[in-house]
Amino acid sequence: MCGILAVLGCVDNSQAKRARIIELSRRLRHRGPDWSGIHCHEDCYLAHQRLAIVDPTSGDQPLYNEDKTVVVTVNGEIYNHKQLRQKLSSHQFRTGSDCEVIAHLYEEYGEDFVHMLDGMFAFILLDTRDKSFIAARDAIGITPLYLGWGHDGSTWFASEMKALSDDCESFLSFPPGHIYSSKQGGLRRWYNPPWFSEDVPSTPYDPTVLREIFERSVYKRMMTDVPFGVLLSGGLDSSLVAAVANRYLAKSEAARQWGSQLHTFCIGLKGSPDLKAAKEVADYLGTRHYELYFTVQEGLDALEEVIYHIETYDVTTVRASTPMFLMSRKIKALGVKMVLSGEGSDEIFGGYLYFHKAPNKKEFHEETCRKIKALHLYDCLRANKSTAAWGVEARVPFLDKDFINTAMSIDPEWKMIRPDLGRIEKWVLRNAFDDDKNPYLPKHILYRQKEQFSDGVGYSWIDALKDHANKQVADAMLASAKYIYPENTPTTKEGYLYRTIFEKFFPKNAARATVPGGPSVACSTAKAVEWDAAWSKNPDPSGRAALGVHAAAYQDAVGTKNGPL
């Protein structure tokens, strides 16, 4: 994972402007502490801060075609770069970087090549022959990218908002699955999968197909020339990633360089649900496991720094990003630069506990589509920015394009939560890996109830955040919130606190508009809140807000516990 900044079409191409671009690029150095590069062509600048994962000795950026007329700066990983190089056999490559194929694909196919890339990426490509440029972001938005416009008519792109927010009055989050073309004038969608229409699919469920395509997804993400590991919470998703990586590690190129014992990492408050479950999975798999701890006070002390790095005031994202931010610092201290993580499964399979209340398969499927489309604003943003803050790259196998297309083509009747048939949330995924002859995981881990990361690190973490906000935000402050923050008005003291911190770093209207809003319960979209009338009275994004579903649900109005289904 790297940091990229591009400014195209500046009126000023002086040394002072170059110095300003370099200064802004340094704001992204946490993302890429291994090397810095910049290419200047007349009034166009492409800057890069590199985190070296593949070809660390010769893959410095920007990258070029043979005669250096095409320049590209890339943040991401192209997993099928070797296959693409075979298609480009007539081209001469300068490096072993997986990202160099982008320059040559452009030479060969023009702008219509982005769909050929299998990976996570954001890139800007400049064709110096006519000063045209394109920019693109991966299908789901795993890799962050922002688009802005300067007063001088310049167009800006940056991995994080902090690199362009001071110099652009107007900017936005670059939409996933899109390409920006200076020739064609603006954005167009390059990613158009069947599920995007939200029409209900009818393909029968085949557990073998689902399992095999997920195994391929994990294996391709083990492409690395540096040490790596797995973020292991002990829940279903991260445990499956670890189990599959553990099976395939010995045959990977990474094992030949770094050994065949998988490294796994978990963080939590002492005694948290995740720490206990993760250790059990690690012991079962035989990984070298690192159990990391944080205290509530350490989490509270980090809040401002976390919000600066993740660039959002969304309550769920801040809650979950803080322990991930603290864990990433310790992981980097151990010499690890890349980790596999389990984001995306809950969106694809309806794993959040509120899906228990989905009234029918149509609404179930439509909600999963809405959740996937919004991932770049929530879990992808968290996983990327809270790890990149310390120069660690997070890869997410569940968000592989082929895996998503396969999983989203399944008739959603199979995904519906049916206690009468013994089907809990994500049953289709659990069942696909339920192998008695060659088990991937212990049964009770394979069928463990969903815990959101911010809950699983320790229930007292969220309670402490609320208590902290209550001390910082007076009743009168919250009562006048609609006047202070008329757009996306915070409705809780916790939300108000995060908003004030965010506004300190990012005060412009364009910045606050990059953050989504609306009511939510247990991470639902606003539409799904309508599934249960009681939820509108308890709009909290924690999984424990799924009253009547979570085994440790919040107390209701009369003080009783709402047990599991």
Side-chain angles (χ1 to χ4, degrees):
M1 197 54 60
C2 307
I4 58 177
L5 172 65
V7 185
L8 304 127
C10 304
V11 171
D12 178 8
N13 61 353
S14 65
Q15 281 297 314
K17 187 66 175 182
R18 177 190 172 101
R20 176 59 176 168
I21 302 301
I22 292 173
E23 177 190 354
L24 294 173
S25 179
R26 287 178 183 146
R27 296 184 183 181
L28 304 174
R29 185 162 289 175
H30 54 277
R31 300 185 61 86
D34 297 335
W35 190 256
S36 301
I38 186 168
H39 178 91
C40 307
H41 175 75
E42 298 179 4
D43 57 358
C44 299
Y45 302 83
L46 275 70
H48 191 267
Q49 302 288 341
R50 187 184 185 206
L51 179 67
I53 303 289
V54 175
D55 187 25
T57 57
S58 70
D60 296 335
Q61 296 195 36
L63 296 162
Y64 304 90
N65 66 337
E66 290 89 341
D67 62 4
K68 291 194 172 184
T69 56
V70 175
V71 191
V72 62
T73 181
V74 189
N75 174 19
E77 307 292 340
I78 309 302
Y79 303 122
N80 64 335
H81 73 105
K82 291 182 178 179
Q83 296 92 316
L84 292 172
R85 281 177 183 246
Q86 291 175 358
K87 291 184 178 182
L88 299 164
S89 56
S90 63
H91 293 254
Q92 293 183 347
F93 286 79
R94 296 171 176 271
T95 74
S97 169
D98 54 295
C99 295
E100 189 181 344
V101 295
I102 293 173
H104 300 286
L105 285 169
Y106 173 80
E107 277 193 298
E108 194 74 22
Y109 301 101
E111 296 183 357
D112 298 321
F113 68 87
V114 182
H115 66 281
M116 300 168 67
L117 301 175
D118 181 8
M120 57 178 189
F121 55 84
F123 70 82
I124 299 95
L125 181 149
L126 171 66
D127 188 336
T128 62
R129 293 166 294 192
D130 60 5
K131 285 174 57 176
S132 64
F133 60 89
I134 60 172
R137 190 177 183 188
D138 65 63
I140 304 300
I142 302 165
T143 305
L145 187 63
Y146 291 83
L147 165 62
W149 295 271
H151 287 295
D152 61 355
S154 56
T155 305
W156 293 59
F157 301 93
S159 294
E160 294 184 4
M161 190 162 53
K162 58 182 65 66
L164 55 70
S165 58
D166 287 349
D167 292 62
C168 296
E169 191 62 35
S170 176
F171 51 89
L172 50 84
S173 176
F174 194 104
H178 279 71
I179 181 172
Y180 184 99
S181 168
S182 64
K183 285 182 179 178
Q184 298 195 21
L187 290 158
R188 69 179 187 272
R189 172 169 285 282
W190 66 263
Y191 179 58
N192 294 286
W195 62 266
F196 212 82
S197 67
E198 301 185 12
D199 293 337
V200 178
S202 58
T203 304
Y205 166 56
D206 187 329
T208 303
V209 169
L210 192 65
R211 181 178 69 247
E212 289 178 351
I213 199 166
F214 182 69
E215 289 180 325
R216 290 197 294 272
S217 175
V218 173
Y219 183 67
K220 74 174 71 167
R221 281 160 180 78
M222 294 163 67
M223 178 187 80
T224 177
D225 293 325
V226 299
F228 83 101
V230 176
L231 303 185
L232 178 61
S233 70
L236 174 69
D237 307 328
S238 65
S239 297
L240 285 178
V241 172
V244 173
N246 199 53
R247 283 197 181 190
Y248 286 91
L249 179 58
K251 62 180 282 190
S252 70
E253 293 182 16
R256 287 193 285 274
Q257 294 187 71
W258 308 107
S260 57
Q261 187 178 29
L262 186 67
H263 293 245
T264 53
F265 308 91
C266 184
I267 193 167
L269 303 174
K270 287 272 180 88
S272 71
D274 279 1
L275 289 176
K276 179 181 177 183
K279 186 177 187 308
E280 186 175 2
V281 174
D283 289 345
Y284 178 81
L285 297 176
T287 71
R288 182 168 183 181
H289 187 59
Y290 299 84
E291 196 169 88
L292 309 173
Y293 306 99
F294 78 103
T295 66
V296 167
Q297 190 58 54
E298 287 171 336
L300 296 177
D301 290 343
L303 276 177
E304 287 210 5
E305 198 173 1
V306 168
I307 291 172
Y308 171 75
H309 277 287
I310 65 174
E311 303 180 321
T312 184
Y313 49 84
D314 174 69
V315 170
T316 310
T317 307
V318 175
R319 288 175 176 180
S321 293
T322 304
M324 200 168 192
F325 172 87
L326 296 172
M327 175 169 57
S328 298
R329 186 176 193 178
K330 295 187 177 186
I331 288 172
K332 187 60 179 287
L334 291 166
V336 172
K337 296 170 75 172
M338 187 271 282
V339 291
L340 304 182
S341 192
E343 279 77 14
S345 173
D346 291 312
E347 287 75 14
I348 296 167
F349 295 105
Y352 293 108
L353 297 182
Y354 72 88
F355 276 93
H356 280 251
K357 302 290 183 135
N360 53 62
K361 72 177 186 179
K362 181 177 184 292
E363 292 204 38
F364 188 106
H365 179 71
E366 290 173 350
E367 175 71 359
T368 60
C369 293
R370 288 191 294 265
K371 291 292 290 180
I372 296 171
K373 291 175 183 179
L375 266 169
H376 67 291
L377 300 171
Y378 298 102
D379 285 23
C380 287
L381 180 151
R382 167 182 55 79
N384 183 282
K385 291 183 180 179
S386 59
T387 54
W390 298 106
V392 176
E393 175 176 285
R395 299 180 181 176
V396 283
F398 282 107
L399 296 182
D400 180 84
K401 280 194 299 183
D402 291 340
F403 180 77
I404 293 175
N405 288 341
T406 298
M408 292 302 290
S409 70
I410 299 171
D411 185 334
E413 186 65 40
W414 288 95
K415 296 181 182 180
M416 292 282 287
I417 299 161
R418 295 285 303 275
D420 57 318
L421 298 177
R423 295 182 192 169
I424 63 172
E425 66 275 356
K426 293 188 288 193
W427 177 85
V428 293
L429 181 62
R430 301 175 196 269
N431 181 67
F433 286 89
D434 194 348
D435 186 343
D436 290 328
K437 293 181 180 178
N438 189 17
Y440 290 79
L441 294 167
K443 290 272 191 184
H444 62 283
I445 293 292
L446 195 59
Y447 290 94
R448 182 190 181 201
Q449 186 180 59
K450 164 69 183 172
E451 289 281 9
Q452 286 164 212
F453 183 55
S454 52
D455 287 330
V457 297
Y459 295 138
S460 58
W461 168 235
I462 291 178
D463 297 336
L465 284 170
K466 292 181 176 181
D467 290 342
H468 177 68
N470 284 336
K471 295 173 183 175
Q472 300 294 316
V473 180
D475 292 343
M477 294 166 68
L478 185 61
S480 61
K482 62 183 178 182
Y483 304 110
I484 306 299
Y485 304 119
E487 299 91 14
N488 217 352
T489 305
T491 58
T492 66
K493 290 186 176 181
E494 187 184 4
Y496 191 103
L497 175 64
Y498 302 159
R499 182 66 172 271
T500 59
I501 297 171
F502 177 88
E503 297 265 347
K504 181 168 70 172
F505 297 121
F506 308 105
K508 291 184 177 178
N509 287 329
R512 66 181 67 102
T514 64
V515 182
S520 174
V521 62
C523 285
S524 75
T525 66
K527 177 68 176 175
V529 174
E530 301 171 5
W531 290 351
D532 190 317
W535 288 348
S536 62
K537 303 173 185 176
N538 189 41
D540 190 284
S542 167
R544 288 183 293 158
L547 304 179
V549 177
H550 196 290
Y554 292 137
Q555 290 188 344
D556 63 18
V558 295
T560 60
K561 283 282 186 178
N562 291 274
L565 288 176

